[in-house]
Amino acid sequence: MFEASRPPDEPCSPEWIRRLPKAEVHLHLEGCVPLDTIAADGARRSGVDFEPQTGTPLFRDLAAFLAILDHSCALVTDGGRLEKIAYEIAVRAAANGVGHVDVIFNPVHWPAWRPDLQGFVGHLDRGFAAGEADMGVTASLCLSLTRTQPPGESVELVDWLLAARPDRVVALSVDGNESVAGHTGRRFAPLFERARGAGFRTCAHAGESSGPEGVRDAVDLLRVERVDHGIRAAEDPALVEELAARAVPLDICPTSNIRLGVVTSLTTHPIERLRAAGVPVSVNTDDPLLFGVSVTDEYLRCTEAFSWEPVVLGEVARTSIESSFAEPERKRWLLAALDHFLEDACAPAQRGKDSSDGGL
Ligand code: ADE
Ligand code: ZN
């Protein structure tokens, strides 16, 4: 969608941004179910409207969006399709310079698989393993609870996680609609404590359908390592200062926030204010097939809207890798690839400068 009018090697050109080594840390499996699944079967029944020109679905708000996920994911009952969905995540990652993905999955949306979560993650594991073998993209899974689910169901899921310790599932998360659920920090806190004690990483959706108080709860009560979205923290300057001082990373999804009505436009999106205030931010797609975006698109849009320079893009990519749940060795490798890429990108300009300095 962006014209590559500049030389591909020029920093901040679409091709340069595409190749910039990065991770994607806020990506829902539910948002990676191909659109034709919905279009073929569920669109009419679930009331999805499609934008006539782009063919992308239109969503009224988060609640309507989550209902569509229920519908589309329920249509995936075959293990081979799950494997393909996972494999395709790796294909898209590789095509966007993404070396590692943290993929959130929420069993609430997958009724066919509720009785066999072990089988569910087994299929995903096979798809991601094939993706790693073919494209070198590593993937971790984050099991997500739902803000609005009955408390006993969340407990059951955490019991399962801790007992099964399935391959590739490295984190506990919580998503869903906080404006419907209200303050749930205290309810979920013991579950996050248990998961942390058992060695799982943690992240939580907050500051999307909740205000700054949701972000505060995620950080202070759930004690998560990373906040998914977190953008409404920008409404509370003291909280912004605290997030910056504690270096709490926010994994932000600009297009999702616009499409779900959290913000009205990219120019008014708080990502730039948060970043400029010293909060570590990464850029992600949330639900790429439903929003019709790629990671490269998201980086490009921010670059154009906020005039991001190579150094800023490098920082954002670094945050994405550092805040990911990749294995330490993999992180070191990706960070080295990023350093190398940035050195290379800046080398011609630097060399030119050095030689003109030397001539004086
Ligand atoms: N599940 C998938 N996308 C989501 C979002 N943006 N917010 C909450 N839950 C989600
Ligand atoms: Zn999300």
Side-chain angles (χ1 to χ4, degrees), residues 130-154:
E132 181 170 352
D134 291 353
M135 267 119 7
V137 174
T138 51
S140 305
L141 283 167
C142 312
L143 168 73
S144 192
L145 309 174
T146 309
R147 291 281 183 183
T148 47
Q149 79 191 146
E153 229 175 82
S154 316

Side-chain angles (χ1 to χ4, degrees), residues 4-280:
S5 52
R6 288 182 290 181
D9 281 347
E10 188 184 321
C12 301
S13 69
E15 179 57 13
W16 187 88
I17 287 176
R18 189 188 70 76
R19 291 194 296 114
L20 178 73
K22 47 183 118 45
E24 182 166 26
V25 299
H26 185 164
L27 172 65
H28 296 263
L29 183 71
E30 293 78 31
C32 296
V33 173
L35 267 181
D36 57 12
T37 312
I38 312 171
D41 188 300
R44 257 173 242 118
R45 276 192 280 139
S46 63
V48 183
D49 291 326
F50 287 85
E51 213 265 292
Q53 279 186 343
T54 60
T56 50
L58 297 166
F59 312 109
R60 239 184 2 267
D61 53 20
L62 179 61
F65 177 77
L66 295 175
I68 290 164
L69 297 187
D70 285 340
H71 192 87
S72 59
C73 299
L75 299 168
V76 182
T77 55
D78 172 66
R81 285 190 69 195
L82 278 179
E83 285 171 36
K84 188 157 186 281
I85 289 170
Y87 186 81
E88 295 292 328
I89 288 174
V91 170
R92 284 191 300 278
N96 285 278
V98 172
H100 176 85
V101 283
D102 284 339
V103 180
I104 301 163
F105 71 101
N106 186 329
V108 153
H109 297 297
W110 303 88
W113 296 96
R114 287 300 291 278
D116 182 20
L117 284 182
Q118 192 78 47
F120 183 70
V121 294
H123 287 297
L124 296 175
D125 181 46
R126 276 193 284 283
F128 286 127
E132 181 170 352
D134 291 353
M135 267 119 7
V137 174
T138 51
S140 305
L141 283 167
C142 312
L143 168 73
S144 192
L145 309 174
T146 309
R147 291 281 183 183
T148 47
Q149 79 191 146
E153 229 175 82
S154 316
V155 174
E156 263 173 40
L157 283 169
V158 173
D159 286 347
W160 172 78
L161 177 67
L162 270 52
R165 303 192 76 93
D167 282 349
R168 208 178 283 279
V169 183
V170 303
L172 181 69
S173 157
V174 60
D175 63 18
N177 197 332
E178 287 180 279
S179 65
V180 173
H183 278 233
T184 52
R186 283 188 203 290
R187 169 145 67 82
F188 285 102
L191 299 177
F192 275 77
E193 196 54 55
R194 280 181 63 201
R196 197 169 19 254
F200 287 93
R201 315 293 301 267
T202 55
C203 57
H205 277 55
E208 177 198 33
S209 54
S210 61
E213 73 290 345
V215 179
R216 222 173 242 296
D217 278 9
V219 172
D220 291 343
L221 299 178
L222 305 185
R223 297 174 50 217
V224 292
E225 296 170 59
R226 206 170 70 198
V227 179
D228 307 321
H229 296 295
I231 58 167
R232 291 196 53 201
E235 295 164 27
D236 178 347
L239 178 58
V240 173
E241 231 174 83
E242 204 176 312
L243 294 174
R246 291 166 67 176
V248 178
L250 306 183
D251 42 63
I252 297 182
C253 311
T255 296
S256 162
N257 298 147
I258 296 165
R259 296 288 300 278
L260 297 179
V262 184
V263 298
T264 51
S265 69
L266 190 52
T267 41
T268 58
H269 195 292
I271 185 169
E272 181 56 3
R273 274 176 285 139
L274 290 160
R275 188 199 67 75
V279 180

